[in-house]
Amino acid sequence: MTQQDPVLVIGGGSIGERHIGNLLTLGYTDIVVLRSRNLPFRTVDASKVTIVTDWESALALKPIAAFICTPTSLHISQAIMCAENGISILAEKPLSHNGEGIDELIAICKETGVYVQVGYMMRYHPHAETIKKWIQDQTWGKLVSFSTHWGEHLPDWHPWEDYRESYAARKELGGGAALTLSHDLDLVLWMIESTLVSHHLIQNFASGLEVNVDSAADFLLGFENGVTGHVHLNFFQKVPRREYRFEFTEASVCFDFFKHLIEVKTKGNVETITMENFERNDLFLRQTIGFFRNMESFSIEQSIQNIQDAARVTQLCDPS
């Protein structure tokens, strides 16, 4: 594809505006935005995009790729509509909030040959890529265990809106801490590259936030290669913290997301790896570049694997 080919963005909320802004930054000139209501943008110049309010009008403009940026409960049905029309897809996470529609999407992708990717952009973090390579190469010996902690305060995410109305706060829209913050589940599964053989989920509803979903979730995970780990997610924590700790036989590795650094502790030594001028949006930019690159050269098996990876994360978030 070229930067002149039509690209569809479904949804014009916060994440939709981020993707629109990044597409403009990367030089894409034919951006179609499908919105249920044509409300004013907060950060995007509306004159630089084509706005439509119904699916038929969007299809008439023949987009070759779509960014799905709607509430979680709509992702899978909109992905199916895109795939049916030969449109490759970058869907915001999670792909499905309940697992329904996954098999249908896979069948349609086999038929139409479209590429599907889910927006777990932490896979594009340079520090995550470094640690994944250390695990593969056994740079610090074998990985034995890990623990991750991601806590932020939901009302602080979008201070311009009532958090109680956000998709993250509402069960019917596919919200909850586990699904909304499922980046970290995907990240450790992607890093460790071993079959998950056991898992246990505990949800927490005691935060006092006015939501009808879990405000915290703890996962215990066990892998075929013997690695075990704990993933903690919450959106009630007022002092943000996001860390990933990996215990190797020869070193302890800590990746602090907010400080943009990795600390490697070995017996008698501490090494720090930092990143200069890092911005969170860099992950979204790298993801978008990677998505379009993947569209140019992929096998249908890769597309199906991406869908199955995302379905596995959704399944882990299901307490039943």
Side-chain angles (χ1 to χ4, degrees):
M1 71 173 290
T2 70
Q3 291 168 315
Q4 287 72 49
D5 288 318
V7 178
L8 175 64
V9 177
I10 305 176
S14 176
I15 188 61
E17 289 196 30
R18 181 185 293 277
H19 283 299
I20 294 165
N22 286 341
L23 288 166
L24 291 169
T25 296
L26 294 171
Y28 290 87
T29 58
D30 191 353
I31 302 170
V32 181
V33 183
L34 173 58
R35 312 188 70 183
S36 57
R37 296 177 297 166
N38 191 8
L39 299 174
F41 288 117
R42 287 189 316 106
T43 61
V44 171
D45 182 351
S47 68
K48 294 185 178 181
V49 301
T50 300
I51 299 172
V52 296
T53 54
D54 62 87
W55 180 244
E56 291 71 23
S57 299
L59 281 183
L61 297 172
K62 302 186 182 306
I64 65 168
F67 288 65
I68 298 176
C69 307
T70 49
T72 298
S73 59
L74 300 176
H75 290 179
I76 192 69
S77 60
Q78 292 172 339
I80 287 170
M81 287 193 295
C82 289
E84 287 175 332
N85 287 277
I87 303 169
S88 288
I89 301 152
L90 177 61
E92 275 302 317
K93 57 78 212 157
L95 180 57
S96 169
H97 65 298
N98 58 15
E100 294 178 6
I102 294 295
D103 290 342
E104 183 180 356
L105 178 59
I106 289 174
I108 294 168
C109 288
K110 288 179 179 178
E111 201 175 299
T112 60
V114 300
Y115 179 64
V116 179
Q117 184 172 322
V118 181
Y120 286 115
M121 80 287 186
M122 280 296 292
R123 294 187 181 197
Y124 290 87
H125 198 297
H127 282 340
E129 292 171 336
T130 294
I131 296 172
K132 179 180 172 72
K133 191 168 190 314
W134 287 347
I135 295 171
Q136 291 172 330
D137 297 346
Q138 296 191 13
T139 304
W140 305 108
K142 291 183 179 180
L143 177 66
V144 178
S145 66
F146 65 87
S147 63
T148 76
H149 182 109
W150 182 9
E152 294 192 52
H153 195 222
L154 177 60
D156 293 339
W157 289 3
H158 300 156
W160 58 87
E161 67 182 14
D162 185 345
Y163 80 89
R164 293 166 295 190
E165 298 300 317
S166 70
Y167 80 90
R170 299 167 61 186
K171 184 175 182 179
E172 66 275 18
L173 296 181
L179 283 168
T180 304
L181 304 179
S182 60
H183 288 283
D184 285 8
L185 280 173
D186 176 77
L187 187 65
V188 296
L189 294 171
W190 172 73
M191 281 180 160
I192 293 170
E193 293 184 309
S194 179
T195 301
L196 190 66
V197 294
S198 63
H199 62 88
H200 183 64
L201 164 63
I202 299 176
Q203 293 175 298
N204 187 306
F205 298 86
S207 70
L209 290 174
E210 295 181 52
V211 299
N212 65 356
V213 292
D214 57 297
S215 55
D218 287 274
F219 299 83
L220 292 178
L221 306 175
F223 294 84
E224 190 174 56
N225 64 2
V227 173
T228 57
H230 170 220
V231 173
H232 173 81
L233 306 169
N234 81 68
F235 56 37
F236 67 81
Q237 185 172 325
K238 291 187 177 180
V239 179
R241 174 184 161 204
R242 195 172 184 184
E243 295 178 344
Y244 307 85
R245 295 181 178 272
F246 299 87
E247 299 298 334
F248 296 85
T249 55
E250 302 301 325
S252 295
V253 172
C254 179
F255 164 23
D256 189 315
F257 179 85
F258 291 124
K259 292 181 180 177
H260 317 312
L261 62 80
I262 297 175
E263 188 177 72
V264 181
K265 292 184 178 181
T266 56
K267 197 170 185 179
N269 187 53
V270 178
E271 178 185 358
T272 301
I273 302 170
T274 60
M275 288 174 51
E276 300 295 330
N277 303 314
F278 173 80
E279 294 183 8
R280 179 170 172 264
N281 192 55
D282 295 342
L283 301 178
F284 292 91
L285 284 167
R286 294 187 76 197
Q287 176 181 249
T288 298
I289 293 167
F291 169 64
F292 287 127
R293 183 175 61 242
N294 292 340
M295 274 182 60
E296 296 296 320
S297 176
F298 73 95
S299 68
I300 194 62
E301 288 76 20
Q302 289 172 306
S303 192
I304 292 169
Q305 186 64 57
N306 288 341
I307 297 170
Q308 291 174 334
D309 285 352
R312 178 175 56 174
V313 171
T314 296
Q315 184 180 21
L316 288 175
C317 296
D318 183 354
S320 60

